[in-house]
């Protein structure tokens, strides 16, 4: 036990911190493999060329937003509606940025811009445990996830021509599995647990009723429920 604590307190180099980030996010990289394949395949089905499909994953780098955008494009949705929908589905990134702001704001502009581009749900999930050379740890994790996402998307683009209707293989289940893996570690008290359960149940109810933006609406109600429950418990205590 003593040797383990000494090892943990030992200073680490920048390259080691970068490698720690890569290792930490690898499980989440493999978890989004089906998601990346689906995004690449859907881009081709939506009428994008091979270059445009790869460029979308490389420049947009937002899995849920990409899939939703492609689905709306295939349905002939107006551009304004697509922009508003993407804005709503990615609003959680503002909260992530606020959480990381204290550590990132002191960094050079190039690091801030790069981390802003690399910031995803997965990167935020591994950013909770801070360590030495924290910025390089985040850069390692974010860069690894980005490269894997682009690679998986390219595979999806290539598979689109040889495996038609790839979207019918229920690869979108990886989205659910990934977010379950991200959310569970954050459930550390009864308030959070209730909020998550309310969000899940309301999402199912809203989807069955055909309500658009069901996940967003359910998530907001779930967060309000958790906040109200915490305030109630504090008053009772």
């Amino acid at each position: 036990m003593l040797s383990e604590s000494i090892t943990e307190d030992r200073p680490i180099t920048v390259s080691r911190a970068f490698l720690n980030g890569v290792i930490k996010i690898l499980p989440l990289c493999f978890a989004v493999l089906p998601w990346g394949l689906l995004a690449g395949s859907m881009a081709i089905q939506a009428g994008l060329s091979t270059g445009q499909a790869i460029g979308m994953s490389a420049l947009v780098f937002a899995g849920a937003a990409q899939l939703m955008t492609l689905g709306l494009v295939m349905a002939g949705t107006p551009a304004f509606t697509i922009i508003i929908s993407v804005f709503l589905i990615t609003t959680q990134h503002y909260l992530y940025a606020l959480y990381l702001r204290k550590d990132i704001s002191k960094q050079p502009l190039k690091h801030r811009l790069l981390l802003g581009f690399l910031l995803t749900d997965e990167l935020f999930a591994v950013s909770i445990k801070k360590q030495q050379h924290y910025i390089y740890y985040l850069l390692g994790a974010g860069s690894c996830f980005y490269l894997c996402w682009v690679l998986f998307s390219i595979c999806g683009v290539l598979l689109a021509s040889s495996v038609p209707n790839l979207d019918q293989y229920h690869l979108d289940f990886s989205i659910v599995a990934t977010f379950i893996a991200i959310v569970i570690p954050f459930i550390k008290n009864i308030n959070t647990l209730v909020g998550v359960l309310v969000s899940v149940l309301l999402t199912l109810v809203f989807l069955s009723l055909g309500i658009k933006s069901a996940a967003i609406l359910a998530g907001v109600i779930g967060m309000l429920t958790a906040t109200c429950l915490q305030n109630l418990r504090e008053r009772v205590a």
Side-chain angles (χ1 to χ4, degrees):
M1 292 295 293
L2 180 59
S3 61
E4 289 181 3
S5 62
I6 293 175
T7 303
E8 289 178 357
D9 294 337
R10 219 176 261 169
I12 63 175
T13 62
V14 168
S15 58
R16 181 61 189 177
F18 189 93
L19 182 60
N20 285 346
V22 171
I23 295 173
K24 189 69 175 181
I25 207 168
L26 273 178
L28 292 175
C29 291
F30 291 118
V32 297
L33 169 59
W35 197 350
L37 295 178
L38 182 60
S41 174
M42 283 187 63
I44 297 299
Q45 293 178 27
L48 274 64
S49 66
T50 299
Q52 290 172 335
I54 297 174
M56 183 178 190
S57 288
L59 298 176
V60 177
F61 186 42
Q66 284 181 231
L67 293 175
M68 184 184 68
T69 299
L70 292 169
L72 293 175
V73 168
M74 294 170 69
T77 306
F80 180 75
T81 302
I82 295 177
I83 293 173
I84 295 299
S85 300
V86 170
F87 173 79
L88 291 174
I89 203 173
T90 56
T91 50
Q92 78 271 19
H93 289 80
Y94 293 101
L95 299 178
Y96 300 162
L98 288 173
Y99 175 84
L100 296 171
R101 184 177 182 275
K102 183 178 179 181
D103 299 289
I104 306 300
S105 60
K106 303 175 183 178
Q107 299 302 311
L109 179 61
K110 61 180 181 179
H111 285 170
R112 282 182 280 146
L113 292 176
L114 183 56
L115 286 171
F117 174 74
L118 295 174
L119 183 57
T120 59
D121 301 298
E122 290 78 9
L123 179 58
F124 179 72
V126 301
S127 71
I128 303 302
K129 187 177 181 180
K130 300 183 180 181
Q131 56 178 267
Q132 297 178 45
H133 301 299
Y134 183 57
I135 301 304
Y136 291 95
Y137 167 80
L138 294 178
L139 288 173
S143 300
C144 177
F145 190 80
Y146 172 75
L147 292 175
C148 289
W149 174 256
V150 174
L151 177 62
F152 298 155
S153 299
I154 292 174
C155 292
V157 170
L158 299 177
L159 285 174
S161 57
S162 57
V163 184
N165 301 320
L166 196 62
D167 58 316
Q168 295 181 6
Y169 288 83
H170 301 292
L171 297 179
D172 52 346
F173 176 74
S174 67
I175 302 175
V176 179
T178 301
F179 276 98
I180 289 176
I182 292 174
V183 170
I184 287 179
F186 288 96
I187 303 177
K188 298 180 179 179
N189 53 56
I190 188 64
N191 305 324
T192 307
L193 177 60
V194 170
V196 170
L197 292 177
V198 169
S199 298
V200 171
L201 292 175
L202 287 181
T203 299
L204 295 175
V205 172
F206 293 158
L207 286 175
S208 65
L209 296 175
I211 298 177
K212 296 182 179 180
S213 301
I216 297 174
L217 183 59
V220 172
I221 296 176
M223 288 187 289
L224 289 175
T225 302
T227 302
C228 292
L229 178 60
Q230 180 178 353
N231 292 336
L232 179 61
R233 295 181 66 196
E234 289 177 352
R235 291 177 181 176
V236 172

